[in-house]
mmCIF file with all atom_site columns, all heavy atoms in Angstrom:
data_model
loop_
_atom_site.group_PDB
_atom_site.id
_atom_site.type_symbol
_atom_site.label_atom_id
_atom_site.label_alt_id
_atom_site.label_comp_id
_atom_site.label_asym_id
_atom_site.label_entity_id
_atom_site.label_seq_id
_atom_site.pdbx_PDB_ins_code
_atom_site.Cartn_x
_atom_site.Cartn_y
_atom_site.Cartn_z
_atom_site.occupancy
_atom_site.B_iso_or_equiv
_atom_site.pdbx_formal_charge
_atom_site.auth_seq_id
_atom_site.auth_comp_id
_atom_site.auth_asym_id
_atom_site.auth_atom_id
_atom_site.pdbx_PDB_model_num
ATOM 1   N N   . ARG A 1 231 ? -28.858 20.823 -34.527 1.00 95.00 ? 231 ARG A N   1
ATOM 2   C CA  . ARG A 1 231 ? -27.398 20.704 -34.689 1.00 95.00 ? 231 ARG A CA  1
ATOM 3   C C   . ARG A 1 231 ? -27.041 20.555 -36.146 1.00 95.00 ? 231 ARG A C   1
ATOM 4   O O   . ARG A 1 231 ? -27.983 20.470 -36.972 1.00 95.00 ? 231 ARG A O   1
ATOM 5   C CB  . ARG A 1 231 ? -26.863 19.414 -33.933 1.00 95.00 ? 231 ARG A CB  1
ATOM 6   C CG  . ARG A 1 231 ? -27.119 19.395 -32.465 1.00 95.00 ? 231 ARG A CG  1
ATOM 7   C CD  . ARG A 1 231 ? -26.125 20.227 -31.754 1.00 95.00 ? 231 ARG A CD  1
ATOM 8   N NE  . ARG A 1 231 ? -24.752 19.812 -31.941 1.00 95.00 ? 231 ARG A NE  1
ATOM 9   C CZ  . ARG A 1 231 ? -23.664 20.589 -31.550 1.00 95.00 ? 231 ARG A CZ  1
ATOM 10  N NH1 . ARG A 1 231 ? -23.850 21.661 -30.944 1.00 95.00 ? 231 ARG A NH1 1
ATOM 11  N NH2 . ARG A 1 231 ? -22.473 20.033 -31.686 1.00 95.00 ? 231 ARG A NH2 1
ATOM 12  N N   . ILE A 1 345 ? -12.293 15.719 -39.670 1.00 97.00 ? 345 ILE A N   1
ATOM 13  C CA  . ILE A 1 345 ? -12.380 15.913 -38.192 1.00 97.00 ? 345 ILE A CA  1
ATOM 14  C C   . ILE A 1 345 ? -12.088 17.362 -37.902 1.00 97.00 ? 345 ILE A C   1
ATOM 15  O O   . ILE A 1 345 ? -12.807 17.971 -37.082 1.00 97.00 ? 345 ILE A O   1
ATOM 16  C CB  . ILE A 1 345 ? -11.326 15.048 -37.505 1.00 97.00 ? 345 ILE A CB  1
ATOM 17  C CG1 . ILE A 1 345 ? -11.601 13.556 -37.827 1.00 97.00 ? 345 ILE A CG1 1
ATOM 18  C CG2 . ILE A 1 345 ? -11.477 15.249 -35.969 1.00 97.00 ? 345 ILE A CG2 1
ATOM 19  C CD1 . ILE A 1 345 ? -12.827 12.983 -37.321 1.00 97.00 ? 345 ILE A CD1 1
ATOM 20  N N   . LYS A 1 346 ? -11.052 17.918 -38.492 1.00 96.00 ? 346 LYS A N   1
ATOM 21  C CA  . LYS A 1 346 ? -10.743 19.369 -38.287 1.00 96.00 ? 346 LYS A CA  1
ATOM 22  C C   . LYS A 1 346 ? -11.823 20.234 -38.747 1.00 96.00 ? 346 LYS A C   1
ATOM 23  O O   . LYS A 1 346 ? -12.168 21.264 -38.107 1.00 96.00 ? 346 LYS A O   1
ATOM 24  C CB  . LYS A 1 346 ? -9.437  19.743 -38.888 1.00 96.00 ? 346 LYS A CB  1
ATOM 25  C CG  . LYS A 1 346 ? -8.205  18.956 -38.397 1.00 96.00 ? 346 LYS A CG  1
ATOM 26  C CD  . LYS A 1 346 ? -6.923  19.219 -39.143 1.00 96.00 ? 346 LYS A CD  1
ATOM 27  C CE  . LYS A 1 346 ? -5.779  18.473 -38.637 1.00 96.00 ? 346 LYS A CE  1
ATOM 28  N NZ  . LYS A 1 346 ? -4.465  18.654 -39.391 1.00 96.00 ? 346 LYS A NZ  1
ATOM 29  N N   . ALA A 1 348 ? -15.054 19.537 -38.823 1.00 97.00 ? 348 ALA A N   1
ATOM 30  C CA  . ALA A 1 348 ? -16.131 19.450 -37.892 1.00 97.00 ? 348 ALA A CA  1
ATOM 31  C C   . ALA A 1 348 ? -15.835 20.241 -36.673 1.00 97.00 ? 348 ALA A C   1
ATOM 32  O O   . ALA A 1 348 ? -16.753 20.931 -36.074 1.00 97.00 ? 348 ALA A O   1
ATOM 33  C CB  . ALA A 1 348 ? -16.345 17.967 -37.565 1.00 97.00 ? 348 ALA A CB  1
ATOM 34  N N   . ILE A 1 349 ? -14.629 20.332 -36.247 1.00 97.00 ? 349 ILE A N   1
ATOM 35  C CA  . ILE A 1 349 ? -14.261 21.115 -34.999 1.00 97.00 ? 349 ILE A CA  1
ATOM 36  C C   . ILE A 1 349 ? -14.406 22.579 -35.357 1.00 97.00 ? 349 ILE A C   1
ATOM 37  O O   . ILE A 1 349 ? -14.869 23.305 -34.495 1.00 97.00 ? 349 ILE A O   1
ATOM 38  C CB  . ILE A 1 349 ? -12.842 20.690 -34.583 1.00 97.00 ? 349 ILE A CB  1
ATOM 39  C CG1 . ILE A 1 349 ? -12.731 19.243 -34.106 1.00 97.00 ? 349 ILE A CG1 1
ATOM 40  C CG2 . ILE A 1 349 ? -12.357 21.597 -33.399 1.00 97.00 ? 349 ILE A CG2 1
ATOM 41  C CD1 . ILE A 1 349 ? -11.384 18.789 -33.779 1.00 97.00 ? 349 ILE A CD1 1
ATOM 42  N N   . ARG A 1 350 ? -13.927 23.034 -36.376 1.00 96.00 ? 350 ARG A N   1
ATOM 43  C CA  . ARG A 1 350 ? -14.009 24.498 -36.821 1.00 96.00 ? 350 ARG A CA  1
ATOM 44  C C   . ARG A 1 350 ? -15.415 24.926 -36.978 1.00 96.00 ? 350 ARG A C   1
ATOM 45  O O   . ARG A 1 350 ? -15.709 26.120 -36.602 1.00 96.00 ? 350 ARG A O   1
ATOM 46  C CB  . ARG A 1 350 ? -13.197 24.703 -38.080 1.00 96.00 ? 350 ARG A CB  1
ATOM 47  C CG  . ARG A 1 350 ? -11.715 24.764 -37.938 1.00 96.00 ? 350 ARG A CG  1
ATOM 48  C CD  . ARG A 1 350 ? -11.016 25.330 -39.142 1.00 96.00 ? 350 ARG A CD  1
ATOM 49  N NE  . ARG A 1 350 ? -11.373 24.576 -40.371 1.00 96.00 ? 350 ARG A NE  1
ATOM 50  C CZ  . ARG A 1 350 ? -10.570 23.651 -40.897 1.00 96.00 ? 350 ARG A CZ  1
ATOM 51  N NH1 . ARG A 1 350 ? -9.434  23.263 -40.198 1.00 96.00 ? 350 ARG A NH1 1
ATOM 52  N NH2 . ARG A 1 350 ? -10.893 23.008 -41.981 1.00 96.00 ? 350 ARG A NH2 1
ATOM 53  N N   . THR A 1 351 ? -16.277 24.133 -37.414 1.00 95.00 ? 351 THR A N   1
ATOM 54  C CA  . THR A 1 351 ? -17.683 24.536 -37.689 1.00 95.00 ? 351 THR A CA  1
ATOM 55  C C   . THR A 1 351 ? -18.668 24.094 -36.572 1.00 95.00 ? 351 THR A C   1
ATOM 56  O O   . THR A 1 351 ? -19.811 24.468 -36.526 1.00 95.00 ? 351 THR A O   1
ATOM 57  C CB  . THR A 1 351 ? -18.178 23.882 -38.997 1.00 95.00 ? 351 THR A CB  1
ATOM 58  O OG1 . THR A 1 351 ? -18.088 22.467 -38.996 1.00 95.00 ? 351 THR A OG1 1
ATOM 59  C CG2 . THR A 1 351 ? -17.405 24.462 -40.203 1.00 95.00 ? 351 THR A CG2 1
ATOM 60  N N   . GLY A 1 352 ? -18.154 23.345 -35.652 1.00 95.00 ? 352 GLY A N   1
ATOM 61  C CA  . GLY A 1 352 ? -18.970 22.806 -34.489 1.00 95.00 ? 352 GLY A CA  1
ATOM 62  C C   . GLY A 1 352 ? -19.972 21.797 -34.981 1.00 95.00 ? 352 GLY A C   1
ATOM 63  O O   . GLY A 1 352 ? -21.042 21.725 -34.303 1.00 95.00 ? 352 GLY A O   1
ATOM 64  N N   . ALA A 1 353 ? -19.700 21.086 -35.962 1.00 96.00 ? 353 ALA A N   1
ATOM 65  C CA  . ALA A 1 353 ? -20.647 20.066 -36.537 1.00 96.00 ? 353 ALA A CA  1
ATOM 66  C C   . ALA A 1 353 ? -20.348 18.686 -35.935 1.00 96.00 ? 353 ALA A C   1
ATOM 67  O O   . ALA A 1 353 ? -19.157 18.276 -35.722 1.00 96.00 ? 353 ALA A O   1
ATOM 68  C CB  . ALA A 1 353 ? -20.585 19.894 -38.047 1.00 96.00 ? 353 ALA A CB  1
ATOM 69  N N   . ASP A 1 354 ? -21.354 17.994 -35.508 1.00 97.00 ? 354 ASP A N   1
ATOM 70  C CA  . ASP A 1 354 ? -21.244 16.597 -34.938 1.00 97.00 ? 354 ASP A CA  1
ATOM 71  C C   . ASP A 1 354 ? -20.745 15.614 -36.110 1.00 97.00 ? 354 ASP A C   1
ATOM 72  O O   . ASP A 1 354 ? -21.185 15.822 -37.245 1.00 97.00 ? 354 ASP A O   1
ATOM 73  C CB  . ASP A 1 354 ? -22.425 16.126 -34.282 1.00 97.00 ? 354 ASP A CB  1
ATOM 74  C CG  . ASP A 1 354 ? -22.805 16.922 -33.024 1.00 97.00 ? 354 ASP A CG  1
ATOM 75  O OD1 . ASP A 1 354 ? -21.829 17.591 -32.544 1.00 97.00 ? 354 ASP A OD1 1
ATOM 76  O OD2 . ASP A 1 354 ? -23.924 16.790 -32.540 1.00 97.00 ? 354 ASP A OD2 1
ATOM 77  N N   . ILE A 1 423 ? -21.387 11.639 -32.931 1.00 97.00 ? 423 ILE A N   1
ATOM 78  C CA  . ILE A 1 423 ? -20.260 11.966 -31.931 1.00 97.00 ? 423 ILE A CA  1
ATOM 79  C C   . ILE A 1 423 ? -20.244 13.445 -31.755 1.00 97.00 ? 423 ILE A C   1
ATOM 80  O O   . ILE A 1 423 ? -19.976 14.174 -32.706 1.00 97.00 ? 423 ILE A O   1
ATOM 81  C CB  . ILE A 1 423 ? -18.939 11.447 -32.526 1.00 97.00 ? 423 ILE A CB  1
ATOM 82  C CG1 . ILE A 1 423 ? -18.991 9.966  -32.797 1.00 97.00 ? 423 ILE A CG1 1
ATOM 83  C CG2 . ILE A 1 423 ? -17.816 11.771 -31.549 1.00 97.00 ? 423 ILE A CG2 1
ATOM 84  C CD1 . ILE A 1 423 ? -17.769 9.339  -33.476 1.00 97.00 ? 423 ILE A CD1 1
ATOM 85  N N   . ALA A 1 424 ? -20.517 13.880 -30.554 1.00 96.00 ? 424 ALA A N   1
ATOM 86  C CA  . ALA A 1 424 ? -20.586 15.284 -30.218 1.00 96.00 ? 424 ALA A CA  1
ATOM 87  C C   . ALA A 1 424 ? -19.218 15.952 -30.324 1.00 96.00 ? 424 ALA A C   1
ATOM 88  O O   . ALA A 1 424 ? -18.172 15.412 -29.989 1.00 96.00 ? 424 ALA A O   1
ATOM 89  C CB  . ALA A 1 424 ? -21.144 15.531 -28.770 1.00 96.00 ? 424 ALA A CB  1
ATOM 90  N N   . VAL A 1 425 ? -19.213 17.145 -30.923 1.00 97.00 ? 425 VAL A N   1
ATOM 91  C CA  . VAL A 1 425 ? -18.011 17.849 -31.206 1.00 97.00 ? 425 VAL A CA  1
ATOM 92  C C   . VAL A 1 425 ? -18.121 19.225 -30.605 1.00 97.00 ? 425 VAL A C   1
ATOM 93  O O   . VAL A 1 425 ? -19.178 19.936 -30.695 1.00 97.00 ? 425 VAL A O   1
ATOM 94  C CB  . VAL A 1 425 ? -17.720 18.004 -32.714 1.00 97.00 ? 425 VAL A CB  1
ATOM 95  C CG1 . VAL A 1 425 ? -16.535 18.914 -33.017 1.00 97.00 ? 425 VAL A CG1 1
ATOM 96  C CG2 . VAL A 1 425 ? -17.577 16.634 -33.319 1.00 97.00 ? 425 VAL A CG2 1
ATOM 97  N N   . ILE A 1 426 ? -17.082 19.711 -29.887 1.00 95.00 ? 426 ILE A N   1
ATOM 98  C CA  . ILE A 1 426 ? -16.937 21.032 -29.327 1.00 95.00 ? 426 ILE A CA  1
ATOM 99  C C   . ILE A 1 426 ? -16.121 21.910 -30.303 1.00 95.00 ? 426 ILE A C   1
ATOM 100 O O   . ILE A 1 426 ? -15.138 21.591 -30.835 1.00 95.00 ? 426 ILE A O   1
ATOM 101 C CB  . ILE A 1 426 ? -16.263 21.024 -28.043 1.00 95.00 ? 426 ILE A CB  1
ATOM 102 C CG1 . ILE A 1 426 ? -16.974 20.117 -26.999 1.00 95.00 ? 426 ILE A CG1 1
ATOM 103 C CG2 . ILE A 1 426 ? -16.110 22.445 -27.393 1.00 95.00 ? 426 ILE A CG2 1
ATOM 104 C CD1 . ILE A 1 426 ? -16.225 19.922 -25.693 1.00 95.00 ? 426 ILE A CD1 1
ATOM 105 N N   . ARG A 1 427 ? -16.780 23.037 -30.597 1.00 95.00 ? 427 ARG A N   1
ATOM 106 C CA  . ARG A 1 427 ? -16.243 23.949 -31.608 1.00 95.00 ? 427 ARG A CA  1
ATOM 107 C C   . ARG A 1 427 ? -14.959 24.644 -31.123 1.00 95.00 ? 427 ARG A C   1
ATOM 108 O O   . ARG A 1 427 ? -14.901 25.065 -29.998 1.00 95.00 ? 427 ARG A O   1
ATOM 109 C CB  . ARG A 1 427 ? -17.272 25.000 -32.015 1.00 95.00 ? 427 ARG A CB  1
ATOM 110 C CG  . ARG A 1 427 ? -16.896 25.943 -33.170 1.00 95.00 ? 427 ARG A CG  1
ATOM 111 C CD  . ARG A 1 427 ? -17.924 26.815 -33.574 1.00 95.00 ? 427 ARG A CD  1
ATOM 112 N NE  . ARG A 1 427 ? -17.492 27.740 -34.681 1.00 95.00 ? 427 ARG A NE  1
ATOM 113 C CZ  . ARG A 1 427 ? -18.320 28.586 -35.272 1.00 95.00 ? 427 ARG A CZ  1
ATOM 114 N NH1 . ARG A 1 427 ? -19.614 28.761 -34.797 1.00 95.00 ? 427 ARG A NH1 1
ATOM 115 N NH2 . ARG A 1 427 ? -17.795 29.302 -36.252 1.00 95.00 ? 427 ARG A NH2 1
ATOM 116 N N   . GLN A 1 428 ? -13.960 24.683 -32.055 1.00 94.00 ? 428 GLN A N   1
ATOM 117 C CA  . GLN A 1 428 ? -12.662 25.351 -31.754 1.00 94.00 ? 428 GLN A CA  1
ATOM 118 C C   . GLN A 1 428 ? -12.280 26.130 -33.052 1.00 94.00 ? 428 GLN A C   1
ATOM 119 O O   . GLN A 1 428 ? -12.386 25.508 -34.101 1.00 94.00 ? 428 GLN A O   1
ATOM 120 C CB  . GLN A 1 428 ? -11.562 24.366 -31.323 1.00 94.00 ? 428 GLN A CB  1
ATOM 121 C CG  . GLN A 1 428 ? -11.883 23.638 -29.990 1.00 94.00 ? 428 GLN A CG  1
ATOM 122 C CD  . GLN A 1 428 ? -10.797 22.717 -29.611 1.00 94.00 ? 428 GLN A CD  1
ATOM 123 O OE1 . GLN A 1 428 ? -9.791  22.532 -30.381 1.00 94.00 ? 428 GLN A OE1 1
ATOM 124 N NE2 . GLN A 1 428 ? -10.928 22.046 -28.456 1.00 94.00 ? 428 GLN A NE2 1
ATOM 125 N N   . GLN A 1 429 ? -11.773 27.234 -32.903 1.00 91.00 ? 429 GLN A N   1
ATOM 126 C CA  . GLN A 1 429 ? -11.274 28.051 -34.038 1.00 91.00 ? 429 GLN A CA  1
ATOM 127 C C   . GLN A 1 429 ? -10.036 27.373 -34.602 1.00 91.00 ? 429 GLN A C   1
ATOM 128 O O   . GLN A 1 429 ? -9.922  27.274 -35.868 1.00 91.00 ? 429 GLN A O   1
ATOM 129 C CB  . GLN A 1 429 ? -11.007 29.529 -33.730 1.00 91.00 ? 429 GLN A CB  1
ATOM 130 C CG  . GLN A 1 429 ? -12.261 30.248 -33.336 1.00 91.00 ? 429 GLN A CG  1
ATOM 131 C CD  . GLN A 1 429 ? -13.134 30.478 -34.628 1.00 91.00 ? 429 GLN A CD  1
ATOM 132 O OE1 . GLN A 1 429 ? -12.703 30.419 -35.746 1.00 91.00 ? 429 GLN A OE1 1
ATOM 133 N NE2 . GLN A 1 429 ? -14.419 30.654 -34.323 1.00 91.00 ? 429 GLN A NE2 1
ATOM 134 N N   . GLU A 1 430 ? -9.058  26.987 -33.738 1.00 92.00 ? 430 GLU A N   1
ATOM 135 C CA  . GLU A 1 430 ? -7.912  26.257 -34.149 1.00 92.00 ? 430 GLU A CA  1
ATOM 136 C C   . GLU A 1 430 ? -7.857  24.880 -33.477 1.00 92.00 ? 430 GLU A C   1
ATOM 137 O O   . GLU A 1 430 ? -7.637  24.807 -32.255 1.00 92.00 ? 430 GLU A O   1
ATOM 138 C CB  . GLU A 1 430 ? -6.674  27.022 -33.730 1.00 92.00 ? 430 GLU A CB  1
ATOM 139 C CG  . GLU A 1 430 ? -6.549  28.365 -34.501 1.00 92.00 ? 430 GLU A CG  1
ATOM 140 C CD  . GLU A 1 430 ? -6.377  28.145 -35.944 1.00 92.00 ? 430 GLU A CD  1
ATOM 141 O OE1 . GLU A 1 430 ? -5.776  27.048 -36.431 1.00 92.00 ? 430 GLU A OE1 1
ATOM 142 O OE2 . GLU A 1 430 ? -6.735  29.024 -36.744 1.00 92.00 ? 430 GLU A OE2 1
ATOM 143 N N   . PRO A 1 431 ? -8.227  23.842 -34.223 1.00 93.00 ? 431 PRO A N   1
ATOM 144 C CA  . PRO A 1 431 ? -8.329  22.464 -33.610 1.00 93.00 ? 431 PRO A CA  1
ATOM 145 C C   . PRO A 1 431 ? -7.064  22.084 -32.951 1.00 93.00 ? 431 PRO A C   1
ATOM 146 O O   . PRO A 1 431 ? -5.914  22.140 -33.588 1.00 93.00 ? 431 PRO A O   1
ATOM 147 C CB  . PRO A 1 431 ? -8.787  21.709 -34.826 1.00 93.00 ? 431 PRO A CB  1
ATOM 148 C CG  . PRO A 1 431 ? -9.259  22.615 -35.819 1.00 93.00 ? 431 PRO A CG  1
ATOM 149 C CD  . PRO A 1 431 ? -8.541  23.905 -35.671 1.00 93.00 ? 431 PRO A CD  1
ATOM 150 N N   . ASP A 1 432 ? -7.226  21.571 -31.724 1.00 94.00 ? 432 ASP A N   1
ATOM 151 C CA  . ASP A 1 432 ? -6.083  21.007 -30.952 1.00 94.00 ? 432 ASP A CA  1
ATOM 152 C C   . ASP A 1 432 ? -5.726  19.634 -31.519 1.00 94.00 ? 432 ASP A C   1
ATOM 153 O O   . ASP A 1 432 ? -6.666  18.844 -31.683 1.00 94.00 ? 432 ASP A O   1
ATOM 154 C CB  . ASP A 1 432 ? -6.366  20.965 -29.471 1.00 94.00 ? 432 ASP A CB  1
ATOM 155 C CG  . ASP A 1 432 ? -5.249  20.353 -28.721 1.00 94.00 ? 432 ASP A CG  1
ATOM 156 O OD1 . ASP A 1 432 ? -4.258  21.015 -28.580 1.00 94.00 ? 432 ASP A OD1 1
ATOM 157 O OD2 . ASP A 1 432 ? -5.422  19.192 -28.181 1.00 94.00 ? 432 ASP A OD2 1
ATOM 158 N N   . TYR A 1 435 ? -7.201  16.819 -29.426 1.00 96.00 ? 435 TYR A N   1
ATOM 159 C CA  . TYR A 1 435 ? -8.631  16.673 -29.556 1.00 96.00 ? 435 TYR A CA  1
ATOM 160 C C   . TYR A 1 435 ? -8.972  16.021 -30.864 1.00 96.00 ? 435 TYR A C   1
ATOM 161 O O   . TYR A 1 435 ? -9.932  15.258 -31.038 1.00 96.00 ? 435 TYR A O   1
ATOM 162 C CB  . TYR A 1 435 ? -9.293  18.039 -29.373 1.00 96.00 ? 435 TYR A CB  1
ATOM 163 C CG  . TYR A 1 435 ? -10.750 17.964 -29.328 1.00 96.00 ? 435 TYR A CG  1
ATOM 164 C CD1 . TYR A 1 435 ? -11.471 17.107 -28.518 1.00 96.00 ? 435 TYR A CD1 1
ATOM 165 C CD2 . TYR A 1 435 ? -11.541 18.834 -30.130 1.00 96.00 ? 435 TYR A CD2 1
ATOM 166 C CE1 . TYR A 1 435 ? -12.854 17.057 -28.491 1.00 96.00 ? 435 TYR A CE1 1
ATOM 167 C CE2 . TYR A 1 435 ? -12.928 18.829 -30.005 1.00 96.00 ? 435 TYR A CE2 1
ATOM 168 C CZ  . TYR A 1 435 ? -13.529 17.934 -29.219 1.00 96.00 ? 435 TYR A CZ  1
ATOM 169 O OH  . TYR A 1 435 ? -14.880 17.845 -29.079 1.00 96.00 ? 435 TYR A OH  1
ATOM 170 N N   . GLU A 1 438 ? -8.433  12.330 -30.549 1.00 96.00 ? 438 GLU A N   1
ATOM 171 C CA  . GLU A 1 438 ? -9.461  11.773 -29.673 1.00 96.00 ? 438 GLU A CA  1
ATOM 172 C C   . GLU A 1 438 ? -10.771 11.478 -30.567 1.00 96.00 ? 438 GLU A C   1
ATOM 173 O O   . GLU A 1 438 ? -11.342 10.475 -30.433 1.00 96.00 ? 438 GLU A O   1
ATOM 174 C CB  . GLU A 1 438 ? -9.704  12.682 -28.521 1.00 96.00 ? 438 GLU A CB  1
ATOM 175 C CG  . GLU A 1 438 ? -10.860 12.214 -27.586 1.00 96.00 ? 438 GLU A CG  1
ATOM 176 C CD  . GLU A 1 438 ? -11.115 13.232 -26.440 1.00 96.00 ? 438 GLU A CD  1
ATOM 177 O OE1 . GLU A 1 438 ? -10.355 14.150 -26.328 1.00 96.00 ? 438 GLU A OE1 1
ATOM 178 O OE2 . GLU A 1 438 ? -12.191 12.999 -25.832 1.00 96.00 ? 438 GLU A OE2 1
ATOM 179 N N   . LEU A 1 439 ? -11.119 12.513 -31.263 1.00 97.00 ? 439 LEU A N   1
ATOM 180 C CA  . LEU A 1 439 ? -12.377 12.402 -31.961 1.00 97.00 ? 439 LEU A CA  1
ATOM 181 C C   . LEU A 1 439 ? -12.189 11.360 -33.095 1.00 97.00 ? 439 LEU A C   1
ATOM 182 O O   . LEU A 1 439 ? -13.123 10.696 -33.477 1.00 97.00 ? 439 LEU A O   1
ATOM 183 C CB  . LEU A 1 439 ? -12.786 13.681 -32.662 1.00 97.00 ? 439 LEU A CB  1
ATOM 184 C CG  . LEU A 1 439 ? -13.355 14.813 -31.682 1.00 97.00 ? 439 LEU A CG  1
ATOM 185 C CD1 . LEU A 1 439 ? -13.596 16.098 -32.421 1.00 97.00 ? 439 LEU A CD1 1
ATOM 186 C CD2 . LEU A 1 439 ? -14.585 14.284 -31.050 1.00 97.00 ? 439 LEU A CD2 1
#
Side-chain angles (χ1 to χ4, degrees):
R231 296 286 297 172
I345 304 287
K346 297 176 181 179
I349 295 175
R350 283 195 300 266
T351 58
D354 294 344
I423 300 171
V425 175
I426 300 175
R427 185 175 180 178
Q428 296 179 0
Q429 292 294 336
E430 294 296 330
D432 179 69
Y435 187 48
E438 178 185 345
L439 289 177

